[in-house]
Amino acid sequence: MASAVGSSAAVPFWRAAGMTYITYSNICASLVRSCLKEPCKAEAASREKVHFAISKWANGKPEKPIVVKLYVMA
């Protein structure tokens, strides 16, 4: 039985290219959205916006959250 350590096991191509899976999936999603025709393209573009909040914790309690808005661009 071969050991997995030091073996030449298959590596996903996105990992071999030095990307994370999230980066790879974002690239794929943006390519798919760019291939869409209107009105689906405009609807998909509206879903590229990402909003989330970050809260730092001090003394066991969350401080005021910071809202972050990102616009994913291809």
Side-chain angles (χ1 to χ4, degrees):
M1 190 181 243
S3 173
V5 178
S7 70
S8 60
V11 176
F13 67 90
W14 50 266
R15 176 67 67 200
M19 287 190 248
T20 64
Y21 181 76
I22 297 297
T23 304
Y24 163 72
S25 74
N26 283 337
I27 290 169
C28 291
S30 109
L31 287 171
V32 169
R33 283 191 292 271
S34 69
C35 293
L36 294 173
K37 294 180 181 178
E38 291 298 339
C40 297
K41 191 173 194 171
E43 184 181 330
S46 70
R47 285 183 254 141
E48 290 182 355
K49 300 172 187 163
V50 178
H51 299 89
F52 61 94
I54 299 173
S55 293
K56 291 188 178 184
W57 287 69
N59 299 324
K61 295 184 180 182
E63 295 178 355
K64 184 178 178 182
I66 300 169
V67 177
V68 179
K69 295 178 184 181
L70 296 176
Y71 298 96
V72 179
M73 298 291 196

